[in-house]
Amino acid sequence: MATYVLVHGAGDAFYWHLTEPRLRALGHDVIAPQLPMADDTAGFAEYADTVVEAIGDRRDLVVVAQSLGGFTGPLVCARVQVDLLVLVCAMTPKPGESAGEWWDATGQDRAMREYAESQGRVMGEYPDVRRDFFHDVPADVTEAVFAQPEPRMSDAVWAKPWPLEAWPAVPTRFLAGRHDRMFPLEFQRRIVPQRLGIEPDVIDTGHLPALARPDEFVARLEEYRTGGKTP
């Protein structure tokens, strides 16, 4: 059995509330630490500190990093022995690039707006959280998430350069959402090979597969862990 290390994105660890029990039911150990998002002094190095401390002396690690967690997951892999890194609808940083710089560097905004236009949607100035993140999440799950206290996120994390000099030498898989409105599939099919040298796999969800299709999501993680093939 493995230890799954679940790294949330720009939100909180409640994102994993459907994933954790499913993995535990399969006999795995699971940790899903809350990152210090509200700390005005914390950058990704401090986020990684939190995860590494939660890992302790556990072994057989599978790190799963969602969205903004793509900046934190590799830092963890550079500090502890990890068997597999799974990036989920994630941002993929370059050495020295801040999370704030990533958007313009990758052309994310244009890709997001072109995708919206192709579907006849009007984006507005900013994405709408319910419309653009939760559009395929069941209503009861959406309401459970929005019933949680709204997480505060410091702006500090966006400015600090990603501290690694190179991507860690750990087996890595990337799972992209076919209907992701934030990081569209064709965008990920361009960025992931450029930056990681691998092709993304696809799950039939939007940006939040762990909430939209938790059973299928966990099955994908297990296929990755055991070396099974995915579509």
Side-chain angles (χ1 to χ4, degrees):
M1 294 294 100
T3 295
Y4 276 93
V5 182
L6 308 179
V7 182
H8 67 80
D12 58 33
F14 190 72
Y15 174 72
W16 302 113
H17 78 283
L18 300 178
T19 303
E20 288 187 71
R22 285 166 167 79
L23 289 173
R24 292 187 189 281
L26 295 173
H28 299 300
D29 189 10
V30 184
I31 58 172
Q34 176 60 47
L35 303 178
M37 310 292 286
D39 187 343
D40 291 328
T41 68
F44 291 112
E46 288 74 25
Y47 287 12
D49 288 342
T50 299
V51 179
V52 170
E53 182 178 354
I55 291 172
D57 60 358
R58 292 176 174 86
R59 297 291 182 267
D60 304 317
L61 304 178
V62 177
V63 173
V64 183
Q66 162 77 20
S67 194
L68 181 64
F71 274 75
T72 302
L75 298 181
V76 175
C77 296
R79 293 180 51 182
V80 297
Q81 181 64 47
V82 172
D83 294 335
L84 177 66
L85 171 63
V86 182
L87 299 169
V88 183
C89 302
M91 300 167 71
T92 50
K94 280 185 176 180
E97 180 180 73
S98 72
E101 294 169 333
W102 180 90
W103 308 88
D104 286 342
T106 59
Q108 180 275 340
D109 185 74
R110 178 177 179 180
M112 175 180 63
R113 293 182 184 280
E114 288 180 347
Y115 181 58
E117 183 178 351
S118 74
Q119 294 189 316
R121 292 184 288 109
V122 177
M123 282 294 305
E125 187 175 357
Y126 299 105
D128 177 273
V129 174
R130 282 183 180 263
R131 181 194 65 199
D132 297 324
F133 289 85
F134 286 82
H135 56 94
D136 67 328
V137 176
D140 61 329
V141 178
T142 298
E143 294 312 314
V145 172
F146 278 86
Q148 303 301 306
E150 184 175 357
R152 175 181 173 268
M153 184 173 183
S154 170
D155 290 336
V157 72
W158 301 104
K160 295 187 177 184
W162 195 58
L164 289 186
E165 295 182 357
W167 199 265
V170 58
T172 301
R173 301 295 296 265
F174 195 105
L175 187 60
R178 187 181 306 280
H179 310 292
D180 191 338
R181 295 180 175 180
M182 193 68 178
F183 305 148
L185 178 57
E186 292 310 311
F187 167 80
Q188 296 287 30
R189 282 175 166 164
R190 172 172 59 86
I191 295 298
V192 174
Q194 286 178 356
R195 295 193 164 206
L196 300 182
I198 61 175
E199 295 291 334
D201 298 313
V202 182
I203 187 169
D204 200 28
T205 71
H207 191 65
L208 307 173
L211 298 177
R213 295 194 176 191
D215 290 327
E216 181 180 348
F217 176 65
V218 167
R220 288 297 191 97
L221 296 181
E222 284 290 86
E223 287 174 355
Y224 287 155
R225 183 184 66 84
T226 61
K229 295 182 179 180
T230 58

